[in-house]
Amino acid sequence: MKIGIIGAGILGLAVAREMARTGAEVTVLDKEAEVAAHQTGHNSGVVHAGIYYTPGSLKATLCRDGMAMLREYCFEHRLPYEEVGKLVIASTRAERDGLRRIADRARENGVPGIAELDALGLREIEPDAVGVGAVYSPHTAITDFRAVARRLAADVEETGGSVRLSHPVRALRETPGGVEVLAGTGRFRFDRVISCAGLGTDRVAAMAKAGGDVRIVPFRGEYYRLAETAKGMVRGLIYPVPDPRYPFLGVHLTRRIDGEVLVGPNAVLALALEGYSWREISLRDLRQILTWPGTRRMAATHWRTGVKEVYGSLARRAFLSAARRYVPALTAKDIVRTEGGVRAQAVARDGRLLDDFAIDAHGPIVLVRNAPSPAATSSLAIARHIALTVRLPGTS
Ligand SMILES: Cc1cc2nc3c(=O)[nH]c(=O)nc-3n(C[C@H](O)[C@H](O)[C@H](O)COP(=O)(O)OP(=O)(O)OC[C@H]3O[C@@H](n4cnc5c(N)ncnc54)[C@H](O)[C@@H]3O)c2cc1C
């Protein structure tokens, strides 16, 4: 069986490795010159333990399984993996109910070691942090997802598969026996194609004539990092109590595997699918994003939050005050702007931000439609899920 995989992010590569292990002949195609060029290489690097997700959802089960699989994979391949632990901090009494719900949900999801801490208890974990209470997840970890992706690509090649970079997929055509793919200057024939194209998902879906009722809306996540002098103020991961209306977790403080501490990400609508800054604008992408009824409905419902996030993006002060809520000793000189990422978030026609992972099949083409955070954490489990449960036509 010849399988073509679109996207050499962590998901495409994990799927390719899983398929190659079952004896398939796999070819990964990516438009960029290196693996992990988009979301996989521009994120917080957190290996989530599965605290927040709706019990029974794909996110809840695949995050928990994916974390265990990733941990083992990192140990096996000597990739960075550090259990630095995570505090979700309530900074006001009003947030306490939300915190309790998180603790209940974490237990329901089988997250190990969850503890509820008071103001003093949380300072034993993070001496520079403040709050009225916290939920502590000691096994939440950090890794380098770019390094994991590189290792997965090496696995694929070692099992006889190939990873073709600088191969933008330009057209897909279903043929009686499978799918013909034009990528770069090459023409490929596959029995099945699996798309893990992240921000490029809608274009691939259009090529596959698989309209569907969701579209990708790019949400940029911007970060600051702590200056050398302030890094010592954060030992692990400090998160706010998330707003249950959004799939984003709110500006957090994250120790990275290289010792940097990130502050972010916020969530602002990007002006291009790969719009990593306000300067990057694509009229073609914008037309596509703004003509989707879901975008307009989402904007009508959430405009207040949107305005606040844009302000936070433009005003360093707003970003600092989000961080100071948890680590009050931080000052303006302690934060330095650093590179961010763009989330591929699926938005339904009615304006709903899709919460769960979404994968669907159109004849011989499987499309991953929504794979936002914690999809990097969950990648190995998502790959197994795709291999096991997406029934590819003609297979049993
Ligand atoms: C700011 C931010 C913070 C995050 N933090 C975390 C975190 O801490 N923990 C976590 O688990 N997850 C996190 N995530 C989510 C995580 O990064 C993604 O869920 C994950 O990387 C998705 O992987 P992917 O392979 O689907 O997408 P990507 O890594 O975006 O890969 C998609 C690939 O498809 C390629 N492609 C697109 N179109 C085409 C085409 N036409 N032809 C060929 N190639 C194409 C692109 O070049 C790209 O390489 C975060 C994401 C962001 C943006």
Side-chain angles (χ1 to χ4, degrees):
M1 163 98 57
K2 282 188 176 181
I3 308 242
I5 287 148
I6 306 173
I10 197 163
L11 217 50
L13 292 165
V15 170
R17 170 180 171 269
E18 190 66 35
M19 294 294 181
R21 274 152 42 114
T22 63
E25 190 182 324
V26 300
T27 303
V28 182
L29 302 164
D30 198 291
K31 62 191 176 66
E32 305 295 348
E34 54 176 3
V35 304
H38 291 288
Q39 296 174 94
T40 302
H42 297 87
N43 59 44
S44 302
V46 177
V47 183
H48 291 286
I51 292 179
Y52 312 98
Y53 315 118
T54 309
S57 63
L58 285 177
K59 270 191 179 175
T61 52
L62 299 178
C63 180
R64 192 192 51 221
D65 294 353
M67 179 193 219
M69 292 166 84
L70 184 65
R71 182 172 182 272
E72 201 179 307
Y73 188 75
C74 288
F75 287 157
E76 185 188 336
H77 294 285
R78 294 169 193 264
L79 292 164
Y81 190 99
E82 213 182 311
E83 285 188 354
V84 291
K86 161 172 170 170
L87 282 176
V88 180
I89 298 184
S91 54
T92 62
R93 284 179 185 282
E95 286 181 340
R96 274 200 162 143
D97 285 348
L99 197 63
R100 206 158 298 127
R101 273 196 297 276
I102 284 176
D104 291 344
R105 186 164 268 194
R107 293 197 184 98
E108 215 176 322
N109 284 336
V111 178
I114 289 297
E116 285 172 82
L117 306 175
D118 60 14
L120 280 178
L122 74 87
R123 290 186 80 122
E124 279 173 27
I125 311 284
E126 291 283 357
D128 287 287
V130 295
V132 297
V135 167
Y136 182 51
S137 165
H139 299 295
T140 300
I142 52 174
T143 187
D144 177 351
F145 287 119
R146 208 189 285 255
V148 174
R150 283 197 208 105
R151 182 58 242 173
L152 289 168
D155 281 357
V156 169
E157 289 181 325
E158 282 165 20
T159 38
S162 71
V163 179
R164 309 267 184 121
L165 300 173
S166 306
H167 273 69
V169 170
R170 294 181 289 110
L172 298 176
R173 191 168 66 88
E174 246 183 87
T175 60
V179 189
E180 188 175 78
V181 177
L182 297 185
T185 52
R187 182 186 297 267
F188 300 82
R189 283 190 182 77
F190 300 114
D191 299 307
R192 306 283 180 262
V193 165
I194 301 170
S195 165
C196 306
L199 294 156
T201 295
D202 291 345
R203 277 198 190 128
V204 174
M207 291 177 211
K209 300 189 175 52
D213 234 21
V214 292
R215 293 289 182 277
I216 292 294
V217 173
F219 282 93
R220 187 168 61 248
E222 297 160 327
Y223 291 93
Y224 283 78
R225 65 177 171 78
L226 294 191
E228 206 54 42
T229 44
K231 275 186 200 169
M233 288 189 213
V234 178
R235 291 180 173 174
L237 310 169
I238 300 175
Y239 280 64
V241 177
D243 183 334
R245 288 172 303 164
Y246 303 102
F248 312 128
L249 299 178
V251 167
H252 41 267
L253 293 115
T254 316
R255 177 161 288 280
R256 234 171 36 182
I257 210 84
D258 61 3
E260 295 291 348
V261 177
L262 296 177
V263 183
N266 58 353
V268 288
L269 194 65
L271 304 180
L273 281 167
E274 293 169 7
Y276 287 88
S277 74
W278 286 115
R279 283 187 303 279
E280 286 168 74
I281 303 168
S282 157
L283 294 180
R284 178 187 172 203
D285 292 354
L286 263 182
R287 195 174 318 118
Q288 192 181 309
I289 296 161
L290 297 177
T291 54
W292 175 238
T295 309
R296 293 199 299 270
R297 291 187 179 124
M298 174 189 69
T301 315
H302 299 299
W303 67 271
R304 270 178 233 277
T305 310
V307 169
K308 211 171 93 197
E309 291 285 317
V310 170
Y311 173 66
S313 162
L314 300 173
R316 173 198 177 91
R317 213 159 8 110
F319 229 99
L320 178 66
S321 74
R324 278 173 52 90
R325 232 181 130 160
Y326 307 98
V327 184
L330 287 172
T331 64
K333 66 175 181 10
D334 292 328
I335 63 167
V336 182
R337 191 79 181 218
T338 189
E339 67 168 11
V342 184
R343 306 172 183 87
Q345 171 64 49
V347 174
R349 186 178 288 279
D350 62 7
R352 214 170 15 95
L353 280 78
L354 241 67
D355 192 33
D356 210 358
F357 299 144
I359 302 157
D360 54 33
H362 301 263
I365 302 169
V366 173
L367 293 168
V368 174
R369 295 273 198 177
N370 194 44
S373 185
T377 301
S378 318
S379 51
L380 297 175
I382 297 175
R384 191 177 60 183
H385 173 80
I386 289 176
L388 287 176
T389 64
V390 174
R391 194 175 279 264
L392 299 170
T395 63
S396 51

